[in-house]
Amino acid sequence: MRVCINAWLKGGKSGGVESVAAGLAYGLSSLTDGDDEYLFLVNGDAYDWLRVHLSNGCRAVPVERPGVAAPASFRRRASAVPVSDGTVEGFGADVVHFPFQSGFLTSIPSIFQPHDLQHVHLPGNFTPAARVARERRYRTLCRQAAAVVVGTRRVKDDLLAHYRLPGDRIHVIALAPTYELYAGGAGPAPPSGATAVGDFVLYPAQTWPHKNHVRLLRALALLRDRHDLVVPLVATGRKTPYFAETIEPVIRELRLESQVDFRGFVQTDELQRLHEQARAVVVPTTFEAASFPVWDAFLSGVPVACSAVTSLPEQAGDAAILFDPYDPGHIADAVRRVWLDDRLRVELVTKGKRRVERLSWQETARRFRALYRHVANAPLGDGDAELLAEAPLL
């Protein structure tokens, strides 16, 4: 079986979907009990972020673009989703996998991974044109797909309600912590004493509006002004235009210039060091299918406080302090607890480690391989039928 996986991304700019593609490469490369072939379509030579994870049956295929603009006659119809330029057909692919929110039209059986429907629930985060384009793309690629994959049952229910797809076409496959890709499955080693005791909280996220940096900043100002508690923040992740337009003015308004450090995109080794040094990871996002920062904190032995929205309560379970992300006072209370309570931090670290024990990219890859074979009508391997029928973890 030959699978083409669309990994046409620019490293360091694509956030979580880059981690998904890298995790797939890492996990599929670890499967040595078959002769399946996985071709990752990459952006010219700009794929160092992926190259290190490719081995065994996985290899990169540099292409200019795997899809071309739809013809004018097609654009006048329901969608302007690109059409295949013939690359995947020329490779003799049995399946095409779109592991993030873009794709193209093809006659080859496809798997589409839309991740979430943020544009439906938080339309204000998108321009009207972007909402229309995103909706058309999602609807078209979902309808084309032989299988649609999401990370949690909650997102599956969302897709069922919004697109009215057949339930057996949507598959839930949990993703694994990104740090497994770089730390051999162990994550950064926690300091002695079972939990990090650094002098800052960490928030790894690009500065999109739904990542909710502004309310986190207001929470930190409340802690300083009402409780005389100064909690420094280190925020990593690419700075979008929203940072200069909105976040920077709020930092100045709240007089937090000396208390917060927005570092932009950092390499994985630096992010691992920050996890080793952080007292806690705080994730105040207002929308998330599932959070890589939460998984990575659990794997790294760092306590977590996170939003009680979308799939996050199911993801975190009892291993994190949950808060209302729309209420800076509630965020402040959660940060204060995880900052001051040593016993609570140790308890959260223990529960977080237990929470990610069943997750690995190899296990995720085994589930995708079973689905690839199913979609391609290829013979199933040992255990594939059980994996396809198994209840999802989240």
Side-chain angles (χ1 to χ4, degrees):
M1 180 183 62
R2 175 173 288 177
V3 180
C4 278
I5 298 170
N6 185 23
W8 210 88
L9 297 166
K10 294 182 179 180
K13 295 187 176 182
S14 302
V17 295
E18 180 181 320
S19 297
V20 173
L24 274 172
Y26 176 85
L28 291 169
S29 293
S30 72
L31 303 181
T32 58
D33 57 342
D35 57 0
D36 302 311
E37 188 176 9
Y38 305 99
L39 307 183
F40 285 77
L41 308 181
V42 297
N43 183 2
D45 293 326
Y47 65 97
D48 286 345
W49 61 274
L50 184 69
R51 192 193 314 263
V52 295
H53 304 303
L54 297 170
S55 63
N56 296 326
C58 299
R59 63 185 174 94
V61 181
V63 296
E64 287 190 15
R65 269 189 185 275
V68 297
S73 61
F74 190 81
R75 286 199 298 272
R76 284 195 294 268
R77 300 207 301 268
S79 173
V81 174
V83 297
S84 173
D85 64 357
T87 297
V88 294
E89 291 82 0
F91 288 146
D94 298 294
V95 180
V96 182
H97 181 183
F98 304 119
F100 48 94
Q101 297 94 329
S102 296
F104 49 82
L105 297 172
T106 174
S107 60
I108 296 172
S110 66
I111 294 172
F112 179 47
Q113 223 170 327
H115 294 292
D116 64 56
L117 297 182
Q118 185 191 155
H119 67 285
V120 173
H121 298 284
L122 298 178
N125 289 345
F126 302 85
T127 65
R131 286 199 304 272
V132 170
R134 192 172 172 118
E135 176 65 14
R136 287 177 174 173
R137 184 169 69 249
Y138 278 38
R139 191 174 293 275
T140 300
L141 293 172
C142 279
R143 286 178 175 172
Q144 169 183 260
V148 176
V149 172
V150 294
T152 67
R153 282 171 288 191
R154 186 185 187 101
V155 180
K156 176 177 179 176
D157 291 342
D158 211 6
L159 285 172
L160 289 172
H162 190 65
Y163 294 128
R164 302 190 181 281
L165 299 171
D168 59 0
R169 197 192 300 176
I170 305 177
H171 300 257
V172 180
I173 300 179
L175 304 177
T178 61
Y179 275 174
E180 182 192 349
L181 311 181
Y182 309 98
S192 58
T195 183
V197 288
D199 60 354
F200 62 89
V201 295
L202 175 66
Y203 183 26
Q206 298 187 61
T207 58
W208 298 111
H210 75 282
K211 296 299 184 179
N212 205 27
H213 291 85
V214 168
R215 291 189 183 89
L216 176 59
L217 293 171
R218 297 198 182 282
L220 297 180
L222 285 175
L223 288 174
R224 179 196 62 199
D225 298 340
R226 294 183 182 177
H227 301 283
D228 197 27
L229 180 63
V230 175
V231 177
L233 167 70
V234 174
T236 63
R238 182 174 67 91
K239 296 179 183 178
T240 69
Y242 184 74
F243 177 78
E245 295 165 0
T246 302
I247 296 175
E248 269 192 320
V250 171
I251 292 172
R252 292 192 293 270
E253 171 201 337
L254 299 175
R255 297 175 288 108
L256 289 170
E257 293 92 337
S258 64
Q259 190 175 330
V260 301
D261 179 4
F262 280 77
R263 298 194 180 181
F265 173 76
V266 300
Q267 298 296 332
T268 303
D269 56 352
E270 181 179 349
L271 190 56
Q272 288 178 312
R273 284 194 295 272
L274 290 171
H275 274 85
E276 293 171 6
Q277 299 161 4
R279 184 172 294 218
V281 167
V282 180
V283 182
T285 178
T286 58
F287 198 91
E288 212 71 47
S291 171
F292 280 130
V294 169
W295 283 153
D296 288 338
F298 287 171
L299 188 65
S300 304
V302 185
V304 174
C306 75
S307 301
V309 297
T310 59
S311 300
L312 291 177
E314 290 82 8
Q315 179 183 1
D318 64 351
I321 300 300
L322 300 178
F323 55 76
D324 177 357
Y326 294 97
D327 183 345
H330 207 211
I331 300 172
D333 290 343
V335 172
R336 185 167 181 259
R337 288 182 63 196
V338 79
W339 183 264
L340 295 176
D341 192 331
D342 293 341
R343 181 177 296 179
L344 174 63
R345 287 200 304 274
V346 172
E347 178 183 332
L348 292 177
V349 166
T350 301
K351 291 179 177 179
K353 285 282 191 179
R354 191 178 304 131
R355 195 81 180 154
V356 293
E357 282 178 349
R358 295 179 62 190
L359 299 175
S360 75
W361 281 108
Q362 184 179 66
E363 184 62 22
T364 296
R366 289 180 63 237
R367 294 174 187 277
F368 271 107
R369 182 177 64 180
L371 186 58
Y372 295 152
R373 291 170 174 169
H374 171 69
V375 166
N377 288 317
L380 297 181
D382 292 343
D384 284 347
E386 290 79 5
L387 289 173
L388 290 169
E390 192 173 284
L393 292 175
L394 291 176

